Amino acid sequence: MLIASSGQSKGYGVIQNSRLFRPIVQIVLLLLFGLGTAHAARIDHLYRAQVVVSGQGEANRKAGFAICLEDVLVKLSGDPRLIGDPKVAEIAAKAGDLVAGYQYRDRMSGVPIHDEQGSYDRPHDLTVDFDQVKTDAVLEKLGREPWLSQRPPVVVFLDVTPRKGTAFRLVRAGDDRGEADMRVSLAAAAERAGMVIALPVQNTAKSMIQDATDLPGLDAEARNNGGNLALAGRLTWSDEAKGWIADWWMAAEGKNHEWQVRGVGFDEAFRNGMRGAAQILSGNGQPE
């Protein structure tokens, strides 16, 4: 699967914003609107990542390779604790040695170059495929192993309480633009983590997750929506935390798991939920 990043790295000409990854997210939205036969992440996609760079120069490409490698290592292993690991950063500095192939797509294709503007500052999608054998060897050095078994489809039951307005459940259908943005963001987060997810349909969703700890009941509802198990989430806007507070619950391997992130945008909240679920299901322990 392909990924989408967030934030911005000005020093390296790498633009990272999940809302820029529309072609990728459109693919992942197929999972959000119905699991169908997509019950496993394609193995080749686990070794592939994408980032937006500001041109095709060598410095931008090298920075893009480094970002993509870290994302692939996290996605492939299911272990978000690799994010920011100094050992990963050292390896990522030479990520080009692990690249099997890459390609660019001009995001402004068809738009004439402006005066004094060259291809160096035009945004491009940089898609990178890493060599499977070499990448597996890197994971082994890091004390991890590839999570190549079938990844169970997860139905996300997510309740949202915004700063103003009435709480709502994020479901497959809906006309509100804010909810649509959240669905796109959730899809991007799932893609980045290599997770297979769906949202509940409108007519089977409970009104709110009043009983978020009733994970067996939510798991049963997840199966009614074509998934294997449930990921329950609650996003609440907090002026005090200066952002969203995201609480997540999941039951797996006979254990109940709960984790939280505070004071973040909803893009990061969704990434936290997807990474936590991947960490649990891949056998890498309890999310922090």
Side-chain angles (χ1 to χ4, degrees), residues 62 65-66 69 87-97:
K62 182 178 180 180
F65 284 172
L69 179 60
K87 295 180 180 179
V88 173
E90 182 179 352
I91 295 170
K94 300 180 180 179
D97 296 339

Side-chain angles (χ1 to χ4, degrees), residues 95 216 231 246:
L231 171 64

Side-chain angles (χ1 to χ4, degrees), residues 67-120:
I67 292 171
C68 287
L69 179 60
E70 181 183 74
D71 284 340
V72 162
L73 292 175
V74 172
K75 176 170 60 173
L76 181 61
S77 65
D79 192 349
R81 294 173 298 180
L82 291 175
I83 298 172
D85 187 317
K87 295 180 180 179
V88 173
E90 182 179 352
I91 295 170
K94 300 180 180 179
D97 296 339
L98 307 177
V99 172
Y102 65 91
Q103 61 181 0
Y104 289 101
R105 186 182 73 87
D106 186 348
R107 299 187 62 83
M108 298 178 65
S109 178
V111 178
I113 296 176
H114 303 299
D115 292 342
E116 299 182 356
Q117 179 195 41
S119 61
Y120 65 89

